[in-house]
């Protein structure tokens, strides 16, 4: 088939008493009541996949009937419900990275269509973000549980991120920070539109007295990647700003931790000696040199810039 022609693989979710069978067609269903694009897997651009989460792999997973059945069953969908929907994968002429996965409603009611539209989109987002297939399935199929941890800070995180649980997270550090009197601590920006006129309003916050807050960090390791959650508690102590970033899981692996620290210290010393340390953008030189030295030791390490492309590091 011409590679510049979009291809559709339609997977009917049909259940027998004990065996699920799949129907694959060369075109989407003609009797669809409605359909939706579940997700374009493009957030990583053309970067290499992590935890086997390349676009082609995620698409293959969405055509696994057992996976769909497992997720659907955890959401209370019956076999009759699932008979009302079909999945279709459309491969764009520009290649797999531009493909989309579609969910079609082919029968009534729309219960399965509505439920799966949400949960499968979550699956795509989590896998595209770098989580392993096993972790993603476990999160999406788990039943709600009470937060039982005695750590009050962890309870704050779990309330804000209910897909996590205490057993997955490890506290790695904590401390305090100070907003000095008269120094800008934050800038809040809002955009409003009225009668076709767009206005941008900025509010600069600068404390009149020193403000001392505290922070605490937790890490979740899933395969090759570690998700770090940094909680910065407001000065009233009642709320927290949560910042989530990804880093290489090797940084928390006893086999590699000291090697990485030693290499980073070596790079920092070299940059200080040659006068490149502390300059705008020098962090990228630091990470690049660190990668090269670790690669020479047969250690593949991913920098924060690689794992967090939406963050601008300078």
């Amino acid at each position: 088939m011409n590679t510049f022609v979009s291809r559709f693989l339609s997977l009917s979710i049909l259940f027998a008493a004990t065996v699920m069978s799949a129907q694959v067609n060369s075109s989407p269903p003609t009797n669809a009541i409605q359909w939706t694009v579940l997700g374009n897997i493009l957030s990583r651009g053309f970067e290499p996949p992590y935890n086997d989460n390349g676009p082609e792999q995620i698409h293959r997973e969405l055509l696994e009937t057992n996976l769909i059945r497992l997720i659907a069953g955890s959401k209370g969908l019956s076999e009759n419900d699932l008979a009302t929907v079909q999945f279709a994968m459309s491969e764009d002429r520009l290649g797999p990275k531009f493909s989309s996965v579609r969910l079609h409603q082919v029968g009534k009611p729309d219960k399965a269509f509505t439920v799966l539209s949400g949960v499968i989109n979550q699956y795509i987002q989590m896998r595209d973000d770098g989580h392993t297939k096993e972790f993603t399935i476990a999160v999406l199929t788990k039943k709600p549980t009470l937060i039982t941890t005695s750590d009050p800070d962890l309870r704050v995180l779990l309330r804000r991120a209910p897909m996590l649980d205490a057993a997955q997270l490890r506290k790695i550090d904590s401390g305090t920070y100070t907003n000095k009197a008269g120094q800008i601590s934050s800038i809040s920006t809002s955009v409003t539109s009225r009668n076709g006129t767009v206005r941008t309003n900025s509010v600069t916050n600068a404390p009149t007295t020193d403000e001392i807050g505290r922070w605490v960090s937790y890490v979740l390791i899933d395969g090759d990647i570690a998700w770090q959650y940094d909680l910065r508690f407001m000065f009233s102590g009642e709320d927290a700003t949560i910042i989530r970033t990804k880093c290489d899981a090797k940084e928390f692996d006893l086999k590699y931790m000291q090697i990485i620290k030693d290499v980073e210290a070596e790079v920092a010393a070299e940059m200080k000696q040659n006068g490149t340390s502390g300059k705008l953008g020098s962090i990228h030189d630091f990470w690049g040199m660190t990668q090269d030295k670790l690669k020479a030791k047969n250690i593949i390490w991913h920098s924060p810039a690689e794992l967090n492309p939406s963050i601008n590091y300078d």
Side-chain angles (χ1 to χ4, degrees):
M1 182 179 292
N2 192 319
T3 57
F4 291 95
V5 177
S6 294
R7 295 186 292 112
F8 294 90
L9 296 177
S10 178
L11 178 66
S12 298
I13 305 180
L14 303 174
F15 290 86
T18 57
V19 180
M20 174 186 293
S21 61
Q23 177 184 344
V24 179
N25 299 323
S26 59
S27 60
T30 57
N31 62 333
I33 299 172
Q34 61 177 321
W35 60 271
T36 183
V37 175
L38 292 173
N40 288 324
I41 307 170
L42 291 171
S43 68
R44 292 187 319 278
F46 291 91
E47 297 173 13
Y50 309 103
N51 285 335
D52 194 23
N53 73 331
E56 301 93 332
Q57 175 60 29
I58 297 177
H59 287 154
R60 283 194 293 269
E61 292 169 9
L62 294 180
L63 296 180
E64 294 178 10
T65 53
N66 287 336
L67 183 148
I68 298 299
R69 186 178 191 178
L70 179 62
I71 294 176
S74 72
K75 304 305 175 185
L77 296 178
S78 68
E79 296 176 3
N80 289 335
D81 293 327
L82 287 169
T84 66
V85 295
Q86 290 184 5
F87 283 89
M89 185 177 75
S90 170
E91 183 175 305
D92 192 275
R93 65 186 181 87
L94 296 177
K97 285 183 177 292
F98 294 89
S99 298
S100 61
V101 180
R102 300 179 183 183
L103 176 66
H104 298 258
Q105 181 187 350
V106 296
K108 294 184 179 181
D110 62 357
K111 178 182 178 181
F113 179 82
T114 301
V115 172
L116 290 177
S117 295
V119 71
I120 300 302
N121 219 11
Q122 286 181 286
Y123 184 92
I124 293 173
Q125 291 170 359
M126 290 184 65
R127 288 289 282 127
D128 193 40
D129 190 42
H131 281 292
T132 61
K133 175 183 176 181
E134 295 74 19
F135 179 91
T136 303
I137 292 174
V139 167
L140 294 181
T141 59
K142 78 170 186 175
K143 295 181 179 180
T145 56
L146 295 175
I147 299 175
T148 58
T149 177
S150 59
D151 183 343
D153 297 337
L154 185 53
R155 287 201 296 270
V156 171
L157 174 57
L158 294 176
R159 282 196 295 268
R160 300 271 288 277
M163 71 287 189
L164 305 175
D165 61 53
Q168 298 168 330
L169 294 153
R170 174 164 59 92
K171 185 176 181 179
I172 56 174
D173 207 352
S174 63
T176 61
Y177 65 96
T178 303
N179 288 338
K180 291 291 186 179
Q183 294 184 356
I184 297 176
S185 60
S186 65
I187 299 177
S188 303
T189 303
S190 62
V191 179
T192 59
S193 177
R194 186 175 183 180
N195 297 327
T197 301
V198 177
R199 295 181 179 179
T200 301
N201 301 306
S202 295
V203 177
T204 300
N205 301 307
T208 56
T209 59
D210 286 358
E211 296 178 333
I212 299 177
R214 63 185 185 87
W215 58 269
V216 59
S217 297
Y218 297 89
V219 67
L220 180 154
I221 297 175
D222 180 21
D224 299 331
I225 303 177
W227 279 258
Q228 183 168 324
Y229 295 85
D230 298 315
L231 284 68
R232 290 173 62 93
F233 285 88
M234 303 302 178
F235 303 99
S236 63
E238 298 175 354
D239 199 3
T241 299
I242 300 177
I243 301 173
R244 192 205 69 158
T245 53
K246 290 183 285 187
C247 51
D248 197 305
K250 294 185 184 69
E251 296 175 24
F252 302 94
D253 189 330
L254 293 176
K255 181 179 177 181
Y256 300 104
M257 284 176 59
Q258 194 57 50
I259 298 175
I260 294 175
K261 288 180 180 179
D262 291 343
V263 167
E264 287 178 335
E266 181 181 341
V267 171
E270 289 182 9
M271 292 184 66
K272 185 176 181 179
Q273 185 176 17
N274 62 29
T276 58
S277 179
K279 296 183 178 180
L280 184 65
S282 63
I283 187 62
H284 298 285
D285 295 329
F286 175 83
W287 287 331
M289 293 172 64
T290 299
Q291 279 185 320
D292 291 341
K293 289 180 180 292
L294 288 172
K295 188 175 181 180
K297 299 177 182 290
N298 295 317
I299 299 174
I300 303 300
W301 173 80
H302 301 292
S303 72
E306 288 178 304
L307 295 174
N308 304 278
S310 62
I311 299 178
N312 184 24
Y313 294 96
D314 286 317

